[in-house]
Amino acid sequence: MQEESAKEALRRRQNKVKRVKHIKNAIKAFALIYLIGSLCLIGYLLFSVYSLKEQVSQLKKTSIAEKTETGSSADAESDFSAVDAYGAEDEDNLADPDDTLKVYLTFDDGPSSNTGKILDILDDYSVKATFFVNGKTDSHSLKMYKRIVKEGHTIGMHSYTHDYSQVYASLDSFKDDLKRIQDLIYKETGVMSDLYRFPGGSSNQVSDTDMSVFIKYLNEQGITYFDWNVMSGDATNEKITQHDIIENVMNDVVKYKTSVVLMHDAANKDNTVKALPKLIEKLQSKGAVLLPITKDTTLVQHVTIKEDQ
Ligand code: ZN
């Protein structure tokens, strides 16, 4: 009898040992599966991040290529102005919700048959803006240069010819062109302009000559160039609606403390003129201050070069 119960006890102990062993194995297996699973998940996530990065860089390339195409076919009246504001995304310039927005409306390529209308609208709202003008000597244009200055707006240079193949052919031709537009503005208005907007912006991909050559020259001459960080969209899209112009500007001005808005003063840009009153009203209702560019305006430049370069 005693022998029987001793055997039974041994069997039970053996069973217990087996059970514990099973449980241990199960825990080990579970831990292993968990570890492998986690590694797989990490691998998958890393791969996703990598492939998303690739997609973003591909998209950027495509979009720049598309925009460059638009620009290369530009004639003297239309502007290659579609390059993204690379260098203009200055972190110091990002707006907090309670910042007062400073907005600089800029009009390129004038004077045109629309200049008078733009000036009238600005006058209606007592708003001052900036006109980056080209060289035109017909009597209407000469009057418009004078009106721009007389009515308190800033007049800046946007090259004389606006012909990329001439303006950017070499440093010498850039200098000649710059002197021509500066002299014309001075002769008509008495203002020796020291503000410049590169045709196509400082980041244009049209010039064969490295843009840093021209940038350096402007720096030496004490001429300040301004690009833009907000695009109305009237440069590349001929059929853009008033609504879209307003939307483009309103969507972007909220991002920056200082917004320099690219618009055009050209005969074929009627919707820019039509959009202007409502745009000004919307900006003002957001509490934005609309100002003309001066030498003290926060720089908005796509490409900058360091002094010692
Ligand atoms: Zn232009």
Side-chain angles (χ1 to χ4, degrees):
M1 209 41 203
Q2 262 184 2
E3 201 180 315
E4 276 292 303
S5 73
K7 265 186 187 171
E8 178 63 23
L10 182 67
R11 204 173 53 80
R12 269 191 209 152
R13 232 188 354 259
Q14 280 172 338
N15 278 348
K16 199 179 171 189
V17 169
K18 263 187 200 166
R19 269 206 308 280
V20 169
K21 225 180 193 177
H22 277 311
I23 291 169
K24 272 187 183 168
N25 282 341
I27 290 172
K28 273 187 200 162
F30 180 76
L32 194 67
I33 290 167
Y34 184 77
L35 188 69
I36 291 171
S38 300
L39 285 174
C40 287
L41 187 66
I42 288 170
Y44 171 75
L45 288 176
L46 283 176
F47 176 75
S48 301
V49 168
Y50 172 79
S51 91
L52 277 175
K53 270 188 179 169
E54 282 288 289
Q55 281 177 36
V56 167
S57 90
Q58 198 56 46
L59 276 174
K60 271 187 187 163
K61 276 183 205 156
T62 319
S63 110
I64 288 169
E66 275 168 8
K67 285 165 179 176
T68 308
E69 242 165 60
T70 323
S72 58
S73 65
D75 59 25
E77 269 305 305
S78 67
D79 201 352
F80 166 66
S81 313
V83 181
D84 282 324
Y86 310 113
E89 297 280 346
D90 185 355
E91 268 187 38
D92 293 340
N93 192 29
L94 297 179
D96 290 321
D98 53 346
D99 280 332
T100 302
L101 305 173
K102 286 186 189 171
V103 177
Y104 297 83
L105 299 179
T106 69
F107 298 91
D108 286 10
D109 299 358
S112 77
S113 52
N114 274 325
T115 313
K117 290 177 207 158
I118 294 172
L119 287 169
D120 288 345
I121 295 166
L122 293 173
D123 186 47
D124 286 345
Y125 289 90
S126 302
V127 163
K128 306 298 178 203
T130 304
F131 292 79
F132 288 107
V133 297
N134 298 128
K136 296 172 194 180
T137 51
D138 59 282
S139 64
H140 170 74
S141 295
L142 298 183
K143 262 187 230 155
M144 290 302 117
Y145 293 132
K146 292 185 180 81
R147 251 195 89 180
I148 290 168
V149 171
K150 213 173 116 194
E151 296 180 16
H153 305 286
T154 294
I155 196 161
M157 302 173 281
H158 188 45
S159 83
Y160 193 95
T161 63
H162 204 288
D163 178 346
Y164 300 129
S165 62
Q166 276 191 51
V167 179
Y168 297 138
S170 65
L171 179 57
D172 278 341
S173 61
F174 182 79
K175 284 181 187 174
D176 288 348
D177 182 279
L178 179 72
K179 192 170 168 6
R180 277 180 85 192
I181 186 64
Q182 197 172 35
D183 286 352
L184 176 65
I185 293 172
Y186 181 69
K187 188 167 154 257
E188 296 307 319
T189 68
V191 172
M192 185 58 84
S193 179
D194 52 7
L195 296 169
Y196 194 85
R197 170 164 284 155
F198 287 105
S202 66
S203 57
N204 83 76
Q205 308 191 354
V206 185
S207 171
D208 288 334
T209 312
D210 195 315
M211 287 301 289
S212 64
V213 173
F214 310 127
I215 292 173
K216 248 186 246 179
Y217 181 69
L218 291 187
N219 289 348
E220 282 162 22
Q221 300 301 305
I223 294 171
T224 308
Y225 63 96
F226 276 86
D227 291 306
W228 56 88
N229 52 4
V230 174
M231 285 166 56
S232 66
D234 70 351
T236 40
N237 185 352
E238 290 284 320
K239 294 188 188 104
I240 191 161
T241 62
Q242 305 169 46
H243 174 264
D244 284 347
I245 288 175
I246 294 168
E247 190 117 311
N248 286 340
V249 176
M250 295 312 295
N251 282 343
D252 277 0
V253 291
V254 290
K255 297 178 189 167
Y256 309 108
K257 290 177 189 158
T258 292
S259 290
V260 176
V261 182
L262 176 69
M263 305 179 91
H264 288 82
D265 168 9
N268 60 347
K269 312 274 186 197
D270 291 334
N271 280 343
T272 304
V273 180
K274 287 182 194 156
L276 195 53
K278 203 161 181 191
L279 177 62
I280 293 172
E281 285 167 23
K282 285 210 162 190
L283 286 167
Q284 289 180 332
S285 75
K286 272 236 174 275
V289 185
L290 281 76
L291 297 163
I293 288 179
T294 68
K295 287 288 235 190
D296 298 326
T297 301
T298 301
L299 292 179
V300 172
Q301 297 173 329
H302 298 169
V303 174
T304 51
I305 54 168
K306 292 196 188 95
E307 283 301 313
D308 54 1
Q309 267 183 325

